[in-house]
Amino acid sequence: MRQNRFKTALVLSGGGSRALAHLGVLDELIKHGIHIDLIIGTSMGAIIGGLYAYHGDMAIVLRKMRAFLHSDLFVETLARATSGVEDEGGKDLLERFVGLFRKGIYYTYSIVKSALVSEQAYLQIMSELVPAHPIEKLRVPFAAVAMDIVSGEEVVMRTGCLRQSVAASAAIPGVLPPVQRDGRHLVDGGWVDNVPVAPAIAMGAHFVIGIDAALQIHELGPLPSSALDLLHRGNDITRIVLSRERRLCADILLVPPIGPMNWTDFQNLDQPVQAGRQTVLQNLAHLRKQNYRRRARCLLGRCHPARTGNWRRPMVFL
């Protein structure tokens, strides 16, 4: 496939509050003159990537995210999702939500509800943060990755409504309602491709910068003591191992040094943002070196030379 211009893609993972590190990554890349031609995100990565693709200004994105995470709407919606859970002193609302699983309350709710947050509440939250703007008309080309909860297919949304696409990519199964599009029921893309490098390559990227802000296995903590926690640990490890495979074909992979921060800690914005900045600064020279090498191999965007690893796999583009 021939191209007239070398294209750099930024791939942003999910990871809940940990993925707020993408704010720091984007800000530092822009400050240091790293041009981004394409952004692909999963879950929180789709939210942040989509906001930057729309606004084209990280100062605006940082301001909007900070205001949103402290808004009454965000806090009250999470409170409704965690109703029935006693105060556990000092824990934020999402961490209390996790308690639903451990206390069995989630299973009671799941008998009569498909999600802990109603569709109306979820759409209201998304309308406060993400504009209903055509993806095709964004300042920066963008795509969001979701999973079809019926077929299990990886769905890459590069057309249509930005708000709907981001909402689908971030819809945690059982917590947030699936988003319907083209007869599909779409949920959080992190369950199938948390670091969507392959879609970036398939969309014509010559150089792919992957950012993985999710928890790593060594950050999961000590051996769980309950059967239910062991079940969740097994699920977490499966997703992490799958993510390791998905991200292999990135030309450069950055893992922000966030530490064992829980994915539910949305009250702590500065820690992941600073970790995102730090990982760019520490790897800037290597990133530029790899970029130059890739430019040479691609003849400044005139060709797509073969890559190591098998990145090709079935995916659906919308």
Side-chain angles (χ1 to χ4, degrees), residues 112-129:
V112 294
K113 294 183 178 182
S114 61
L116 296 180
V117 176
S118 70
E119 182 177 5
Q120 180 181 2
Y122 186 39
L123 292 177
Q124 185 180 5
I125 285 178
M126 296 307 296
S127 68
E128 290 292 319
L129 183 61

Side-chain angles (χ1 to χ4, degrees), residues 263-277:
W263 68 273
T264 64
D265 188 7
F266 281 95
Q267 295 177 346
N268 187 1
L269 175 64
D270 293 333
Q271 180 181 341
V273 170
Q274 183 56 36
R277 295 186 189 281

Side-chain angles (χ1 to χ4, degrees), residues 155-201:
V155 179
V156 183
M157 295 164 286
R158 55 181 178 178
T159 63
C161 176
L162 175 64
R163 180 187 299 162
Q164 182 191 46
S165 299
V166 167
S169 182
I172 303 172
V175 182
L176 300 170
V179 173
Q180 297 186 39
R181 177 174 171 178
D182 297 345
R184 296 178 177 274
H185 298 268
L186 303 177
V187 298
D188 194 319
W191 262 255
V192 68
D193 196 355
N194 200 44
V195 189
V197 174
I201 299 172

Side-chain angles (χ1 to χ4, degrees), residues 28-64:
E28 289 300 320
L29 289 175
I30 294 163
K31 285 179 179 178
H32 288 87
I34 306 298
H35 183 74
I36 304 298
D37 301 287
L38 169 66
I39 298 175
I40 299 185
T42 293
S43 198
M44 181 59 76
I47 293 174
I48 293 172
L51 287 176
Y52 177 72
Y54 175 76
H55 293 287
D57 187 327
M58 277 309 299
I60 295 175
V61 176
L62 281 161
R63 185 167 63 249
K64 286 184 68 70

